[in-house]
Amino acid sequence: MATESSSPAGSTGAADRRTWRRPTAFRNRYTKWAVYGAVLALIAWSVASLRITPSRFLSGIGYGYELIDSMLPPETGSEYTLRLFDRMIETIAMAMVATVAGIAISLPVAFGAAENISPKPTYYLSRGIISATRAIDGLIVAIIAVIALGFGPLAGIVAISFKTIGFFSKLFAEDLEDIDMGGVEAVRATGASRFQSLVYGVVPQVVPRFAGLAVYRWDINIRSSTIVGIVGAGGIGVLLQRAYQRYEYDYVAAILIAIIAVVLVAEFVSAVVRRRVQ
């Protein structure tokens, strides 16, 4: 009897081992190798189209060495340092204003883009706004803002705020869609209005994530504000572009060191705040 009862179990286990297949995105191995071959062919074609020759690569290394040699030691004169300090303060101020403005605009878009708490027309409209703001690169927006508003930090604030909307709205909307709807239904059962349900049922669940995302986006905007100035949108990027144009590579080195220092400090502050709120 023991032999009869153990035999079906053993055969079932063997059948399970025979029928299990590793999950895969391909129908069969021929399709898999065909896709791999197509990807490798695309990579080979991309490399060949760039026309990178060994002589060109070696000459580039030589030019790079000359550039680095001309950047050392960095310029530390008082006049240059004061100008650098002023532009860096402007850069940080741009990032702060753009972060606040971008998040303020992002909040209604994010709530509208959460499928579980917004009607379909609002959902599709908000998702369209998110897609549009994510589709255009920040430098392109900065160029358009400079043409429309002129040179200066205002154009940079507009460009960085525009990119903040796409980033913050998308991630915050996904967090809203992951909330526990049981708490929202409990608030509604007390007779609360739709707005009260959002305030007391939804907001308490996403406040830590909101704070973390806000600090993280501020960290990104610090870095972005150093770039948009290259097209004239204010900040230290303007100073960097002028130094390159005048071949003041030692001053370029000082600017790059200042940018790296500010970004590292912003990264440290961002990590500490996100760790505390989450």
Side-chain angles (χ1 to χ4, degrees), residues 3-278:
T3 304
E4 292 179 359
S5 61
S6 60
S7 177
S11 61
T12 302
D16 291 339
R17 287 194 295 271
R18 287 195 301 269
T19 57
W20 184 87
R21 294 290 185 274
R22 181 170 60 87
T24 178
F26 308 103
R27 293 184 178 181
N28 51 57
R29 61 179 182 176
Y30 301 106
T31 304
K32 178 180 70 174
W33 289 114
V35 172
Y36 288 167
V39 171
L40 290 176
L42 179 61
I43 293 174
W45 173 82
S46 301
V47 173
S49 64
L50 295 177
R51 300 177 182 176
I52 302 176
T53 61
S55 60
R56 181 181 177 187
F57 180 77
L58 292 175
S59 64
I61 293 178
Y63 293 143
Y65 174 79
E66 293 178 3
L67 175 62
I68 294 175
D69 184 63
S70 63
M71 296 173 74
L72 299 175
E75 176 61 60
T76 56
S78 58
E79 179 184 352
Y80 292 94
T81 303
L82 181 61
R83 196 187 314 161
L84 175 59
F85 180 78
D86 290 340
R87 286 292 185 176
M88 185 58 74
I89 293 298
E90 182 179 85
T91 298
I92 297 173
M94 284 170 52
M96 292 295 295
V97 175
T99 301
V100 173
I103 291 177
I105 300 173
S106 299
L107 283 177
V109 177
F111 276 93
E115 192 173 12
N116 55 336
I117 60 175
S118 63
K120 288 296 182 181
T122 305
Y123 171 77
Y124 290 122
L125 175 62
S126 300
R127 284 290 172 177
I129 294 173
I130 292 175
S131 299
T133 53
R134 287 171 55 84
I136 307 175
D137 187 75
L139 277 180
I140 298 176
V141 179
I143 293 172
I144 297 173
V146 167
I147 295 173
L149 302 172
F151 295 98
L154 179 59
I157 291 172
V158 170
I160 300 171
S161 300
F162 184 86
K163 293 305 297 181
T164 299
I165 296 171
F167 175 91
F168 193 90
S169 298
K170 178 177 175 59
L171 294 184
F172 194 52
E174 292 175 354
D175 290 328
L176 289 169
E177 290 178 340
D178 291 336
I179 63 173
D180 181 13
M181 292 301 294
V184 181
E185 295 298 332
V187 174
R188 289 177 181 172
T190 62
S193 64
R194 189 179 188 87
F195 177 76
Q196 290 173 327
S197 300
L198 291 177
V199 172
Y200 298 106
V202 176
V203 172
Q205 298 187 55
V206 295
V207 165
R209 181 60 175 165
F210 168 81
L213 280 177
V215 175
Y216 181 51
R217 186 61 212 186
W218 170 75
D219 176 28
I220 295 175
N221 287 347
I222 287 286
R223 285 170 278 174
S224 299
S225 59
T226 63
I227 300 300
V228 295
I230 293 178
V231 296
I236 201 170
V238 175
L239 202 61
L240 182 63
Q241 179 69 4
R242 290 175 182 172
Y244 268 118
Q245 292 175 345
R246 297 172 181 173
Y247 303 103
E248 298 175 344
Y249 296 127
D250 52 348
Y251 194 33
V252 169
I255 296 172
L256 293 179
I257 291 173
I259 292 174
I260 293 172
V262 170
V263 170
L264 288 177
V265 172
E267 179 70 24
F268 174 76
V269 173
S270 173
V272 171
V273 174
R274 281 186 283 130
R275 192 182 304 116
R276 287 183 176 275
V277 299
Q278 294 180 353

